[in-house]
Amino acid sequence: MNVSMRLNLAKIEVALLQSVKADPSVIGTILFAPGQTTAGFSADYRILSAVAEGRAEAEHKSARWKTFYPWLAAATGEDGENDVVGTEFGYGPGFLLDPGQVVAIAHGLMGEGWGVHHRSAGKGGRRL
């Protein structure tokens, strides 16, 4: 039996973010409603976690990826900093990030080496 854990993310307007903060039950509707109009992303969390663990092991001799890649932990809700109390989707609570947090996390992910680096434009650059 193949079991997968999904990481579902949705980009929403700031006004909707305020509505979700007021009524966390809206999160499920945003993430799982058929025909949703929000820009979404879904990834296999187990694969993401395995890649992060493998990289941590190779670079730091430990699979504790959340310690070595705190921005990835923040981007996936694993740091618990932005959990929404009262939500549960099987493997943990939902989490919310405001636009400022999204920008900070994007910069942090680049600093940790998750993404396209400016130096990668040339020959031999690394794209993840």
Side-chain angles (χ1 to χ4, degrees):
M1 181 168 127
N2 220 357
V3 177
S4 179
M5 293 181 357
R6 304 299 300 173
L7 173 65
N8 294 296
L9 303 172
K11 177 182 173 185
I12 60 174
E13 297 294 325
V14 174
L16 185 54
L17 177 66
Q18 299 307 320
S19 297
V20 172
K21 286 181 178 179
D23 181 8
S25 68
V26 175
I27 293 174
T29 304
I30 292 169
L31 292 176
F32 306 113
Q36 72 183 30
T37 58
T38 57
F41 171 78
S42 181
D44 187 316
Y45 179 81
R46 291 180 55 185
I47 292 173
L48 177 65
S49 179
V51 168
E53 284 179 9
R55 182 175 167 202
E57 183 68 39
E59 294 177 356
H60 303 284
K61 307 299 183 233
S62 170
R64 296 179 328 166
W65 68 269
K66 297 169 200 168
T67 300
F68 300 110
Y69 309 118
W71 291 107
L72 183 61
T76 58
E78 284 297 313
D79 65 357
E81 295 290 321
N82 299 291
D83 289 355
V84 178
V85 177
T87 61
E88 173 60 47
F89 297 103
Y91 294 103
F95 65 99
L96 295 174
L97 303 170
D98 65 33
Q101 291 169 304
V102 170
V103 170
I105 288 171
H107 288 287
L109 287 169
M110 294 297 286
E112 289 178 354
W114 303 104
V116 179
H117 296 272
H118 292 289
R119 67 175 185 247
S120 70
K123 187 176 178 181
R126 180 173 78 166
R127 290 182 74 122
L128 298 175

